[in-house]
């Protein structure tokens, strides 16, 4: 039997009622319950009451089980814009007012897709290669020794090449809203990443004065990578 976890701070009974004809087994979780039982293959997270808390829960679940579980987020229409740059946190979302049939089909589709072999996921930009399945990074073919947060920061920047992010945005997107460290945390991790990139490639992470940081290929590296057709694609 398919087991689905449900998080809803005020309407858990109503959410489960949407799926009363599906034959799924349901269990409820709270906002701190990011480590799920192994039999759980789907999670429904109600974000209509507290969006940031719901996203923090999703991020925590992803951290503990990056694969093997699908996440469906329930939101209000005005919250859609808040999903920007959070594409790696959830698998799908539904907008209130919720339709019983739509919710059932969305979840069934996600679970069915989850049961199929997934394509290997990589981010390749110039000399940098990130394997998002194995959390490994390599630079010009040489493996990099990164901490978890260094990898997550590098992956986030490399996933949005050329886009500038403030320190505050990086804190919220990479560390999460539950993290209360200051902007210095970002600077320290950027400095460590640049050291590990080495002099030849430390300019992959560029400082935008008075704003923040961005990922970009310097002209000499761009010239070297032009012959690679997929040098700046997310697979």
């Amino acid at each position: 039997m398919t087991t689905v976890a449900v998080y809803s701070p005020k309407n858990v009974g109503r959410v489960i009622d949407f799926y009363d004809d599906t034959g799924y087994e349901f269990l409820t979780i709270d906002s701190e319950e990011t480590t799920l039982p192994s039999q759980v293959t789907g999670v429904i997270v109600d974000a209509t009451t507290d969006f940031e808390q719901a996203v923090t829960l999703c991020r925590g679940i992803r951290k503990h089980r990056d694969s093997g579980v699908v996440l469906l987020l329930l939101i209000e229409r005005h919250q859609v814009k808040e999903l920007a740059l959070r594409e790696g946190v959830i698998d799908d979302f539904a907008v209130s007012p919720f339709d019983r049939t739509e919710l059932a089909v969305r979840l069934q589709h996600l679970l069915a897709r989850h049961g199929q072999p997934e394509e290997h996921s990589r981010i390749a930009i110039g000399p940098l290669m990130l394997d998002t399945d194995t959390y490994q990074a390599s630079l010009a073919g040489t493996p990099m020794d990164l901490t978890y947060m260094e990898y997550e920061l590098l992956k986030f920047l490399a996933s949005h090449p050329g886009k500038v992010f403030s320190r505050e945005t990086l804190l919220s997107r990479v560390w999460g809203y539950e993290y209360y460290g200051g902007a210095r945390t970002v600077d320290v991790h950027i400095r460590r990443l640049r050291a590990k990139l080495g002099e030849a490639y430390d300019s992959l992470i560029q400082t935008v004065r008075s704003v923040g940081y961005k990922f970009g290929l310097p002209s000499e590296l761009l010239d070297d990578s032009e012959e690679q057709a997929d040098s700046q694609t997310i697979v």
Side-chain angles (χ1 to χ4, degrees):
M1 177 177 291
T2 301
T3 302
V4 177
V6 177
Y7 167 74
S8 181
K10 294 185 177 180
N11 301 303
V12 64
R14 173 172 168 262
V15 172
I16 293 177
D17 284 345
F18 284 131
Y19 296 91
D20 60 359
D21 296 325
T22 60
Y24 300 145
E25 180 180 9
F26 291 93
L27 59 88
T28 59
I29 58 175
D30 60 36
S31 61
E32 304 296 325
E33 202 167 347
T34 57
T35 304
L36 302 175
S38 58
Q39 70 268 25
V40 172
T41 54
V43 184
I44 303 169
V45 177
D46 181 1
T48 58
T49 301
D50 189 329
F51 182 85
E52 297 304 340
Q53 185 178 62
V55 170
T56 296
L57 173 62
C58 293
R59 186 179 286 111
I61 292 173
R62 278 281 183 256
K63 182 177 179 180
H64 287 95
R65 285 182 63 182
D66 187 52
S67 61
V69 65
V70 295
L71 285 163
L72 175 63
L73 193 69
L74 309 183
I75 62 174
E76 299 286 357
R77 185 163 300 280
H78 71 272
Q79 296 171 325
V80 172
K81 62 181 181 298
E82 300 297 329
L83 293 176
L85 305 180
R86 289 186 169 99
E87 61 273 12
V89 178
I90 63 171
D91 295 288
D92 198 2
F93 66 93
V95 178
S96 176
F98 304 114
D99 177 80
R100 180 187 298 269
T101 302
E102 178 190 358
L103 289 180
V105 170
R106 283 183 180 274
L107 184 58
Q108 289 168 1
H109 173 73
L110 288 175
L111 292 170
R113 190 174 65 187
H114 161 70
Q116 299 174 355
E118 295 183 359
E119 296 181 0
H120 210 51
S121 181
R122 293 187 180 93
I123 300 173
I125 303 182
L128 180 68
M129 174 74 75
L130 298 172
D131 189 317
T132 59
D133 289 336
T134 63
Y135 285 82
Q136 293 178 337
S138 62
L139 191 63
T142 302
M144 299 180 67
D145 183 15
L146 302 178
T147 66
Y148 176 77
M149 291 313 304
E150 288 168 354
Y151 176 88
E152 286 295 309
L153 178 58
L154 183 59
K155 182 180 75 171
F156 182 83
L157 290 171
S159 297
H160 307 91
K163 185 174 179 63
V164 181
F165 296 97
S166 68
R167 292 167 175 82
E168 291 73 20
T169 298
L170 290 172
L171 270 177
S172 66
R173 303 300 195 204
V174 179
W175 276 263
Y177 282 89
E178 73 277 14
Y179 187 83
Y180 297 100
R184 175 175 164 75
T185 298
V186 176
D187 294 333
V188 169
H189 279 75
I190 291 290
R191 186 164 62 248
R192 291 174 179 169
L193 273 177
R194 283 173 169 165
K196 293 183 178 182
L197 289 168
E199 292 184 5
Y201 300 110
D202 60 2
S203 55
L204 286 172
I205 300 177
Q206 302 170 15
T207 301
V208 179
R209 189 177 299 276
S210 301
V211 182
Y213 299 101
K214 71 174 181 178
F215 185 95
L217 288 175
S219 56
E220 61 271 18
L221 294 181
L222 186 59
D223 292 339
D224 292 340
S225 63
E226 281 181 346
E227 61 189 40
Q228 301 178 14
D230 60 346
S231 64
Q232 195 165 343
T233 60
I234 301 176
V235 181

